[in-house]
Amino acid sequence: MPDDMSASPERRRERRGSFHVRTSVAGKRAPPSPVLVYCISAIALLASIGRTLAPKEELCLGSFWCISLTPVSCKPQGIKYELHTLPVDAKAVTDGDTITVYVNMANHPESGNVPQEVQKAVIERTKAWVAKNCQRANALQKIILDAGYRQVPNMRGEHVLAKKYQIRLRGIDAPESLMPYGKEAKEELVRLVQGKSLKISIYDSDRYGRLVGDVDCNGVSVQEHMLKKGLAWHYTAYDRRMELSKFLMNGHFQWESQARASRTGLWASPDPEKPWEWRKKKRIGTM
């Protein structure tokens, strides 16, 4: 008969490699094997290193141990969170640097914080639609709108609950609507974002309650686009990023400097008025 069959159950379990704690003759718990301690420490270290590797990779240790190496996405410093919007309506573009967007609450970082009265109003409004009770549906719609939400169609035409945000494009300042090139700036922004879903990296909020962020439209930086089109200034009072600036960097023109050099858009004028100076004149009544 083989040795394993004649050994006690405790001895057989230990020989099979299980992690049962060994005991001494006196029945007291023996200290863990140094080899086991080192192995566990190595596994923990490899797991932490794996967070920076490519997605869906596995590190296998022998025949039985595999660690999933799930990466942590690396975001630029200062980003608080990201918003992924529903398709943007042309009417939601206020001017060349401000957009009103709606975010599907199902994909929202605050999806669990929708007020109960809004949740109830959405359910009751759906019932009113089915019953063709327009008066009831409109009253419930007002409750939803007053709370900062709205039911809007998604890409499939389904009505979903969305929250409204006003977004100020970070780092640029476009001409005001009544300024030269103000109309052109708004129209260009409409052409770029109309009907598109945007990815917005939120950094802060301004004194008007708008969220300040970098806007990506199908892989295109909206700020970069507006600066290169000569329809915005680098807003240096609030943003010092060199790629937005009018200066040369490593011998290359930056986004604003490209438009200046080619006299694109508002840079066709020798000395275009800056929007922050225009606003200051309006505030003190010198216009």
Side-chain angles (χ1 to χ4, degrees), residues 28-29 43 54 60 98 101 140 145:
K28 296 182 179 179
R29 181 174 290 184
I43 291 168
C60 292
T98 307
V101 300
L140 292 164
L145 291 173

Side-chain angles (χ1 to χ4, degrees), residues 214-263:
D214 289 338
V215 181
D216 180 283
C217 178
N218 290 348
V220 174
S221 164
V222 174
Q223 286 100 312
E224 178 181 355
H225 180 88
M226 296 299 289
L227 286 169
K228 287 182 175 179
K229 287 288 185 178
L231 295 171
W233 277 259
H234 177 202
Y235 207 176
T236 55
Y238 296 97
D239 194 297
R240 295 291 182 179
R241 285 178 289 176
M242 290 301 296
E243 64 266 28
L244 277 66
S245 73
K246 63 183 179 182
F247 302 108
L248 285 169
M249 185 176 178
N250 298 325
H252 297 285
F253 286 112
Q254 302 309 298
W255 299 343
E256 182 181 309
S257 63
Q258 289 183 34
R260 283 175 174 259
S262 59
R263 295 191 176 278

Side-chain angles (χ1 to χ4, degrees), residues 277-287:
E277 293 179 352
W278 186 90
R279 291 191 295 267
K280 182 178 180 181
K281 289 179 182 178
K282 188 176 181 181
R283 283 197 301 269
I284 62 178
T286 58
M287 295 180 63

Side-chain angles (χ1 to χ4, degrees), residues 183-202:
K183 179 182 177 181
E184 289 84 348
K186 177 180 178 178
E187 289 175 348
E188 182 62 32
L189 187 54
V190 169
R191 274 195 292 272
L192 180 60
V193 304
Q194 183 179 9
K196 309 285 180 50
S197 296
L198 308 176
K199 181 178 76 173
I200 307 175
S201 300
I202 302 300

Side-chain angles (χ1 to χ4, degrees), residues 88-163:
V88 177
D89 188 89
K91 296 178 182 178
V93 178
T94 305
D95 52 35
D97 55 39
T98 307
I99 312 172
T100 298
V101 300
Y102 285 91
V103 178
N104 186 347
M105 290 307 298
N107 305 321
H108 196 285
E110 298 179 356
S111 57
N113 297 332
V114 179
Q116 288 188 355
E117 60 269 23
V118 173
Q119 298 179 40
K120 183 178 178 181
V122 169
I123 295 170
E124 293 300 320
R125 186 165 185 255
T126 302
K127 294 178 181 178
W129 275 341
V130 173
K132 297 183 179 180
N133 187 342
C134 296
Q135 185 176 359
R136 173 67 172 161
N138 290 338
L140 292 164
Q141 172 76 335
K142 186 176 186 306
I143 294 173
I144 297 169
L145 291 173
D146 289 348
Y149 297 87
R150 186 178 179 182
Q151 286 183 284
V152 296
N154 60 13
M155 296 293 286
R156 297 187 296 273
E158 303 164 343
H159 279 76
V160 298
L161 180 65
K163 189 171 183 178

